[in-house]
Amino acid sequence: MNREQAVDRLATLVDRVEDETMPVPVREVWAFGDVALGLDPVERLDVYLTKDVIMGGDADAAAAFEAEYGVKGVGTSVRAEWAEAHPDRVRASDNGYAAPEQCLAAELVAEDEPIHLEVCNASFEDNVRQRLKGALARDAYEEVLDPRGVCLWVDGTRDEEAFDRLREASLAMPTLPAALGMLGADEDAASEAADVLERRRAEQEGASVRGDMV
């Protein structure tokens, strides 16, 4: 998609998060990767969602949904009112529990769209640092999260200036190795991590999603 289309798609996604009931409460929406770098066209649209936990839960709804559909955790892992309205969009993890990140992807992204969702309970900046720390400790560079992100929406407030700057491609961003170096990676590790992320992105097709807990 061209950059204008990519930014329009981000705006539509934020509209939905803002106006509609999501599978879980969403606190932040960030864009990172190609669109933040001002590339045109945008090969893949990378979006980060910070989710909140569901407080209280609904044990009765969970039991009823599991009895009918065989999926656990509705009313605790994801909102019962959303699952009951959209049972076809409920996705479960291997252990049979409703998976918030997969449910968000099913709600927000079509399967054939070149969009990657990152979903975590921590803010983008905190998760960038946690993922890099773990990746450096284990030489697991595929776990690195590109730190060059732009906050579009937080706690109900949209940053219109951020959208304007994405449209104008006016955000000054460092190279990925330089950005990782600013966060503490040495030159060799930063370069290798950037290569690994580039190869991984080249292998992705259609919609994809990753969920994290910090």
Side-chain angles (χ1 to χ4, degrees):
M1 66 186 86
N2 64 44
R3 186 174 65 245
E4 188 69 24
Q5 291 172 324
V7 179
D8 285 346
R9 185 66 181 89
L10 288 171
T12 300
L13 189 149
V14 169
D15 287 342
R16 295 198 59 204
V17 168
E18 193 168 35
D19 298 335
E20 301 177 19
T21 299
M22 291 291 106
V24 291
V26 175
R27 188 169 71 250
E28 298 179 4
V29 180
W30 290 67
F32 64 102
D34 289 357
V35 69
L37 300 177
L39 300 185
D40 195 359
V42 174
E43 297 295 335
R44 287 189 70 77
L45 189 58
D46 294 300
V47 182
Y48 185 97
L49 305 179
T50 303
K51 71 177 184 67
D52 280 332
V53 298
I54 297 172
M55 303 302 293
D58 188 334
D60 291 340
F65 199 91
E66 182 181 357
E68 184 167 358
Y69 296 101
V71 177
K72 305 174 184 177
V74 166
T76 53
S77 297
V78 299
R79 284 172 164 148
E81 63 268 32
W82 174 83
E84 290 163 356
H86 308 288
D88 58 313
R89 299 177 197 168
V90 176
R91 302 289 185 270
S93 60
D94 291 341
N95 61 9
Y97 279 82
E101 73 282 357
Q102 295 179 34
C103 292
L104 280 166
E107 178 65 29
L108 292 170
V109 182
E111 289 185 4
D112 60 347
E113 286 189 288
I115 297 178
H116 176 68
L117 286 186
E118 291 275 350
V119 181
C120 185
N121 61 308
S123 70
F124 178 79
E125 293 166 323
D126 287 345
N127 201 17
V128 162
R129 288 178 168 80
Q130 289 292 329
R131 293 259 291 267
L132 179 59
K133 181 179 178 180
L136 294 176
R138 299 189 298 275
D139 292 335
Y141 298 121
E142 71 281 356
E143 296 180 4
V144 168
L145 179 61
D146 189 337
R148 299 168 298 176
V150 182
C151 186
L152 304 177
W153 183 89
V154 58
D155 291 332
T157 300
R158 182 191 300 245
D159 189 337
E160 294 293 355
E161 182 180 354
F163 277 98
D164 290 342
R165 297 191 70 183
L166 288 177
R167 292 185 191 282
E168 297 163 0
S170 62
L171 292 160
M173 294 287 185
T175 65
L176 182 51
L180 296 175
M182 293 174 191
L183 295 174
D186 65 35
E187 185 176 348
D188 289 343
S191 179
E192 185 173 351
D195 288 344
V196 169
L197 291 188
E198 183 177 355
R199 290 196 300 271
R200 189 183 68 179
R201 281 174 56 82
E203 295 169 354
Q204 292 177 326
E205 294 182 0
S208 56
V209 60
R210 171 176 172 145
D212 271 329
M213 288 290 292
V214 174

